[in-house]
Every structure is written in structure tokens, then in C-alpha cells.
Amino acid sequence: MIDRLLTIMRRLRSPDGCEWDRSQTFETIAPYTIEEAYEVADAIARGDTADLKDELGDLLLQVVFHSRIAEEAGHFTFDDVVTSISDKMERRHPHIFGDAPDGGHHLWDQVKAAERSAKGASGALDGVALGLPALQRAEKIQKRAARTGFDWADATGPREKIDEELGEVIAAQTADEREDELGDLLFATVNWARHLGVDAEAALRRATAKFEHRFRAMERMNDDFASLSLDAQEALWQRAKRLDQTD
């Protein structure tokens, strides 16, 4: 079936194909690739397997699109992409595909470190993608640093750091200072979440979804919600919150 999709993309990118598809580059397609990955995550979060099937197809299309652009430029083909990930999965599971003893899954990080080194990485933080969501990238950076021993002994340190950073936000005098100190505060919060075993990205996503659900409930309670006083809106918020907790 993949051959059908590859043929479709080849046709779309041909000289007499679709003008829009022919004009795309790695750079212009990249935002769509990121968007499709988030839509896959959204379908999973909603438990919508029918939509998940469609979104996975959209994400697969992005892989095919990038591969076709690369093939036209003489860089690599879709088959090369498949071979690369297949080789990587076998290499990273030596306890399954190699001669490592059972339980060799602990070698995953060692294999990844060797791969990064082979690519020229020299520092512990090399290779953490710049395009990751900010909270997720912060957590990855912190985990990499922790592997070198540069980490708090327990959750007490990062918790106290939050108080320190909050004080610096309050003391900030300019917009640039406030942005800088708020960034430090967010980074410290991610660090605390990591020590508590909480995925900061998932936690914020869940909190945002909860706020969205309750806000929509308030709007349904009063068709003229925006014209209400703040006190009246707060009363509706508390009502929506109670309803949310009893669902």
C-alpha cells in the first residue's frame, strides 16, 4: 500500500503535477509536520481511534513528502528512511536482535550516546532538538545534565529554587528582566516536576484542557458572558468547577 502513496506524491511533485505541492521545500513543510504530530497526540488524548487512523495517515504523508523532496535533490529516498529506522531499532535493542543478555533494554541510553558521539556530539546536551516544545525541551536538557551528576539530590532543591526565582520575577524592573526571570521560574518549575515524576508538558496540556472545558461551560451558562462583571464571572467559574468535579 505504501507504493500507492509514494506514486501519488511523485505525481503531485511532477512538472505537470500540483502547483502547491511542487513549490514546497523542507522548510515550508516542516510546520505542517509538527502540526500533524500534535493532531495525532490530540486524537489519542480524546480516545478517538477513527480520527487517530486519519491523523496517522496525515503524519505518514509528511514523511513521504520530505522523502520525495530529498530524493529529487539526490539526498536520500523513502526506502533509505525505512532502512535507517529499521537499523536503528535493531541497534538499540541488542537484547532482542543481538547477543546482549535478557534485560538489555538498559543499554538504550548507551547506544544512543554512542550514536550521538558518532555524529560528532561532544557535550552531554548535544542533539536535543531545538524544535521541541519549550517545556519538553527543558526537561530533556535537565535529564541530560542529570546524567553527568549535575542535579539536585531530591525534590527539595528545585522546590526552593522556585521560591528564589519567583522573588526575582517580582523584583524585576524592566520587561526584558521580567521575561528573563519568568523563563528561569518556568525552568525551575519543570525541574521540580521532573523530580516529582510529573511530565510538565503533559501536566500543562491537561491544565489547559481543564480550563478550556470549564470556560466553555461558563459560556453555556450565560449567553452574554462577556458583559458580566468579574464577580459574576467568578461565580459561574466556581459553578463550572463544581460541575466538573461531579462529572
Side-chain angles (χ1 to χ4, degrees), residues 12 18 29 31-32 37 39 64 67 92 106 108 127 130 152 165 173 181 192 223 229 238:
L12 290 172
C18 173
I29 290 296
Y32 296 102
E39 291 183 358
V64 169
S67 298
R92 291 184 178 180
H106 68 280
W108 177 274
L130 291 171
W152 301 100
E165 297 298 350
Q173 299 295 313
E181 298 302 344
W192 190 34
D223 294 335
S229 68
Q238 293 302 325

Side-chain angles (χ1 to χ4, degrees), residues 49-192:
T49 53
D51 197 29
L52 176 59
K53 175 196 66 178
D54 290 340
E55 297 302 344
L56 284 171
D58 291 342
L59 185 58
L60 177 60
L61 175 63
Q62 297 300 306
V63 178
V64 169
F65 210 142
H66 283 288
S67 298
R68 182 59 195 171
I69 294 173
E71 183 174 358
E72 292 169 357
H75 299 314
F76 56 81
T77 68
F78 179 80
D79 285 348
D80 293 329
V81 173
V82 175
T83 298
S84 178
I85 187 58
S86 297
D87 290 346
K88 182 183 294 183
M89 293 305 292
E90 290 178 348
R91 187 169 60 249
R92 291 184 178 180
H93 294 84
H95 58 300
I96 303 297
F97 303 105
D99 55 5
D102 290 342
H105 56 272
H106 68 280
L107 297 173
W108 177 274
D109 286 337
Q110 295 179 29
V111 174
K112 288 184 66 175
E115 290 172 354
R116 289 195 297 270
S117 178
K119 290 181 178 180
S122 57
L125 307 184
D126 290 350
V128 180
L130 291 171
L132 287 173
L135 293 183
Q136 186 177 352
R137 188 167 193 273
E139 183 175 358
K140 281 186 173 291
I141 288 288
Q142 291 168 2
K143 285 181 177 178
R144 290 281 191 88
R147 290 174 191 165
T148 71
F150 189 73
D151 196 13
W152 301 100
D154 54 41
T156 303
R159 173 62 186 87
E160 293 175 347
K161 189 67 174 176
I162 289 175
D163 291 336
E164 176 187 329
E165 297 298 350
L166 180 58
E168 293 181 2
V169 172
I170 295 171
Q173 299 295 313
T174 68
D176 284 345
E177 287 178 356
R178 282 189 287 273
E179 179 180 344
D180 189 54
E181 298 302 344
L182 275 168
D184 290 344
L185 177 60
L186 288 171
F187 191 83
T189 302
V190 171
N191 214 352
W192 190 34

Side-chain angles (χ1 to χ4, degrees), residues 38-49 51-52 202 205-206 209:
Y38 278 118
E39 291 183 358
V40 166
D42 179 67
I44 294 172
R46 291 185 285 105
D48 190 336
T49 53
D51 197 29
L52 176 59
R205 190 180 302 115
R206 182 175 179 179

